[in-house]
Structures are given as structure tokens and as C-alpha cells.
């Protein structure tokens, strides 16, 4: 009930927290748990956290296979994630339950039309566009530097820009994230910042994008939701919340820093060597002690926990 009240007030972050507390009670009523997952997924969806929303829709559908709201939400999440084939599959599953469900009919048609089209641009291209939306708000930049001790990269010189681009190709080559466009850091009603945060998975050249990562939220809390269901690209089923290591790259020194997943986003952003570029904090995720991570870090200077 508390979650529903926050949802009606469009306070989606608090709604997510309330629904999560409900799920922690481990009620044995699958119907109620399906509703909690569906509602939390809806709140995550409106925050722009589509992977987390999809995981909740999947959990709700497992608990109640005929739960149409969960199926609609899952289809919409796949649309936002550009997984058009999966969106079609979810729509068809829902239409077998209700062949006249308007949202599913419309989404099915849209997915069919978009299927086969490639991503509209690489992350690097869109980050440039994204920065023009965000950096004109100089007041926000002053607030970040003075009050929170967060270091921003504003307008690099030509020489720095060339260096940054070169390093970015190493870190981001092959990655795509259509969700970045238009998202920006913003203050909530309590005066706290919510950031767009990009997760990179170098081993699989995949990304996750959280549109509204509350500065006082811990990384582990997001990982628990994001990987409640294993992503389709994790064929070896090894990306589990407690087996993932997070890092950020100090491009100036060409060094890597491991993060503590128990830390909040704000604590990480306040690290003396963390610089926020283009308004989007970025972290890299690896599986602990995996052959890929050992090879990736070979020859690099790494500051571990």
C-alpha cells in the first residue's frame, strides 16, 4: 500500500524501496508476490531502469504465467532495450491470453516494423549529443564541485580531447547504449542527486544503463536487481551479483580502480581519481578471477580493494 501511494505521487524511487521491503517479507502468496514484482517493475520502468524492470516482469510471470500486466511491462522493456524479437515473443505470449489487448497489439506491430534495424548510433556518438543537453546547466556543475566534491570534466582542450577519444575507443569500442540520450542528472524533492549511470561488460561488449541511480544507493543493491535474472548474453551463467567486480578507469594515468559494491554512488564519485565525463558516471564489470579479467588487467596498474 505504501508503494502504491508513492507510485500515485510519481515518487518512483520510494515506490521501488517500498515494494522491495514487501518482497523481503517472503510472503508465501504467489499472487501478492507477482503484484509486488509487477509494481516494482513499473516504478523501475518510469525511472528508466529497463533491465531491472524486465527482471521484475520476468519474476512476476514465473509466479503467475497469465499475469497480463507483467507481460505487457516485459514487452515494453524489451522495446526500450531494442530487443525487438524478444518483444514480439512477449507480445505473442500475452495475445494468447487476450487477443484484443490493445497495448500488446500496438507493441507487436511496432516491434515487427523495427526488427532488423541496427542501433541508431554508438555510445560515443550519443554521449556527445548527451553532453550538449546537460553541460549547459552550469549551476548544477558548481553545486557538484563545491557541495559534494565531485570532479567534472567540462570542456577539454583539443589535446585532452584527442587523448580522451583514444582511451574511449579502448574502453567502449563495440558498445552500444541507446538509452543514454536525453537522460541527465537531476535533483529530487529531498535535494538528492539521481544520476544516469552506464555499466560496461567488456567481455561481452554489452552495456546496462540506469537512468536514475540515487546518489545514496549502493552498487550491490542495483546488482541484486539487475542480475536477479541472468542476461541472455551470459551463456555461461557466471554473472551473479556476488561474483561481479566493479572498476573505474583513471584515463589520465591509465590506471584501474576497484570499487567496493557496498559503497554508495556518491562515495565512489567522491574518490580523488574519479572524474565524471559527459555527465554520465561509468563503471566496468567483470567476473571475479575469470580468464578474461586476468587477461584484461594483464600489464595494467590496478588499485584493488
Amino acid at each position: 500500500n505504501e508503494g502504491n501511494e508513492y507510485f500515485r505521487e510519481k515518487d518512483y524511487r520510494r515506490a521501488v524501496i517500498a515494494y522491495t521491503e514487501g518482497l523481503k517479507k517472503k510472503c508465501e502468496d504467489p499472487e501478492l508476490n507477482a503484484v509486488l514484482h509487477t509494481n516494482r517493475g513499473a516504478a523501475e520502468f518510469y525511472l528508466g531502469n529497463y533491465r531491472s524492470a524486465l527482471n521484475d516482469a520476468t519474476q512476476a510471470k514465473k509466479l503467475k504465467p497469465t499475469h497480463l500486466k507483467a507481460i505487457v511491462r516485459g514487452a515494453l522493456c524489451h522495446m526500450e532495450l531494442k530487443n525487438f524479437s524478444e518483444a514480439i515473443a512477449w507480445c505473442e505470449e500475452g495475445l494468447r491470453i487476450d487477443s484484443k489487448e490493445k497495448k500488446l497489439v500496438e507493441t507487436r506491430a511496432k516491434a515487427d516494423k523495427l526488427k532488423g534495424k541496427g542501433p541508431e548510433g554508438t555510445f560515443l556518438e550519443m554521449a556527445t549529443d548527451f553532453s550538449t543537453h546537460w553541460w549547459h546547466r552550469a549551476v548544477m556543475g558548481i553545486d557538484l564541485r563545491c557541495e559534494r566534491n565531485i570532479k567534472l570534466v567540462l570542456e577539454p582542450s583539443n589535446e585532452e580531447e584527442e587523448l580522451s577519444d583514444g582511451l574511449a575507443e579502448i574502453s567502449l569500442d563495440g558498445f552500444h547504449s541507446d538509452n543514454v540520450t536525453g537522460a541527465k542528472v537531476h535533483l529530487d524533492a529531498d535535494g538528492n542527486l539521481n544520476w544516469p549511470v552506464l555499466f560496461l561488460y567488456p567481455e561481452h561488449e554489452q552495456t546496462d544503463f540506469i537512468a536514475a541511480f540515487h546518489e545514496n544507493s549502493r552498487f550491490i543493491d542495483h546488482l541484486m536487481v539487475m542480475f536477479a535474472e541472468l542476461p541472455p548474453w551470459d551463456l555461461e551463467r557466471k554473472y551473479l551479483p556476488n561474483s561481479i567486480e566493479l572498476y573505474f578507469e583513471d584515463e589520465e594515468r591509465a590506471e584501474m580502480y576497484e570499487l567496493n559494491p557496498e559503497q554508495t554512488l556518491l562515495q565512489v564519485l567522491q574518490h580523488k581519481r574519479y572524474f565524471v565525463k559527459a555527465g554520465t558516471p561509468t563503471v566496468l564489470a567483470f567476473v571475479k578471477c575469470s580468464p578474461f579479467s586476468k587477461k584484461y588487467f594483464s600489464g595494467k596498474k590496478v588499485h584493488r580493494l
Side-chain angles (χ1 to χ4, degrees):
N1 288 339
E2 183 179 285
N4 291 345
E5 186 62 33
Y6 284 131
F7 194 96
R8 281 191 290 270
E9 295 171 359
K10 297 185 179 181
D11 190 342
Y12 300 120
R13 188 184 68 83
R14 281 198 175 96
V16 167
I17 293 170
Y19 294 134
T20 300
E21 288 301 312
L23 287 164
K24 284 180 180 178
K25 298 299 179 183
K26 298 188 183 299
C27 170
E28 295 183 3
D29 182 355
E31 181 92 17
L32 179 56
N33 286 331
V35 170
L36 285 166
H37 276 294
T38 301
N39 290 3
R40 186 173 71 174
E44 292 279 18
F45 184 89
Y46 285 114
L47 286 170
N49 302 335
Y50 303 120
R51 261 288 304 281
S52 298
L54 177 59
N55 286 341
D56 270 322
T58 302
Q59 292 286 351
K61 188 157 68 79
K62 283 182 178 179
L63 290 164
K64 187 181 178 184
T66 59
H67 196 13
L68 210 54
K69 283 187 177 180
I71 295 173
V72 170
R73 183 65 57 200
L76 293 175
C77 288
H78 277 302
M79 289 295 292
E80 294 293 341
L81 294 167
K82 313 300 185 210
N83 301 330
F84 301 122
S85 295
E86 289 85 350
I88 290 170
W90 277 64
C91 287
E92 289 179 345
E93 186 175 351
L95 290 170
R96 285 195 290 270
I97 299 168
D98 183 354
S99 60
K100 296 180 180 180
E101 169 55 52
K102 184 180 178 182
K103 198 69 180 176
L104 290 176
V105 172
E106 291 175 352
T107 303
R108 173 69 172 79
K110 185 177 179 181
D112 202 37
K113 184 177 179 181
L114 293 172
K115 186 182 176 184
K117 291 187 178 181
E120 295 175 4
T122 64
F123 167 73
L124 290 175
E125 291 167 347
M126 284 180 287
T128 303
D129 175 64
F130 170 52
S131 65
T132 64
H133 288 286
W134 192 85
W135 289 116
H136 73 279
R137 298 195 58 179
V139 174
M140 180 66 78
I142 293 169
D143 172 63
L144 293 174
R145 289 196 296 273
C146 296
E147 293 185 17
R148 288 176 169 80
N149 192 30
I150 295 174
K151 294 162 287 299
L152 309 176
V153 178
L154 296 172
E155 295 180 1
S157 65
N158 291 337
E159 184 179 330
E160 288 173 331
E161 202 166 47
E162 288 175 11
L163 175 64
S164 175
D165 286 346
L167 288 167
E169 286 174 10
I170 295 171
S171 300
L172 302 174
D173 183 40
F175 292 89
H176 299 282
S177 180
D178 292 292
N179 297 324
V180 178
T181 307
K184 59 186 177 182
V185 61
H186 62 275
L187 284 167
D188 62 23
D190 298 322
N192 297 308
L193 288 174
N194 291 267
W195 289 85
V197 175
L198 186 67
F199 287 76
L200 306 178
Y201 308 100
E203 183 174 0
H204 297 279
E205 295 190 344
Q206 296 287 333
T207 65
D208 270 328
F209 181 67
I210 296 179
F213 194 131
H214 191 276
E215 64 180 348
N216 293 324
S217 293
R218 302 181 307 165
F219 278 87
I220 187 61
D221 295 328
H222 280 278
L223 291 176
M224 293 297 288
V225 177
M226 290 161 63
F227 290 93
E229 288 287 316
L230 292 174
W233 44 262
D234 182 17
L235 300 178
E236 297 179 43
R237 305 179 67 81
K238 59 185 182 180
Y239 279 78
L240 304 171
N242 293 321
S243 69
I244 295 173
E245 290 181 334
L246 300 177
Y247 295 82
F248 72 85
E249 185 175 9
D250 181 348
E251 295 181 354
E252 183 181 326
R253 297 181 179 178
E255 297 175 355
M256 304 288 293
Y257 287 82
E258 185 180 0
L259 310 183
N260 183 346
E262 299 289 335
Q263 285 184 309
T264 65
L265 175 60
L266 179 58
Q267 288 173 318
V268 171
L269 296 185
Q270 290 175 333
H271 189 283
K272 63 182 180 180
R273 295 306 304 167
Y274 198 104
F275 298 89
V276 178
K277 294 191 175 184
T280 307
T282 302
V283 296
L284 292 88
F286 301 86
V287 174
K288 292 177 184 177
C289 302
S290 69
F292 178 87
S293 66
K294 289 178 182 177
K295 183 178 178 181
Y296 187 92
F297 292 121
S298 177
K300 290 185 172 71
K301 185 171 182 179
V302 182
H303 301 269
R304 296 189 179 273
L305 292 173

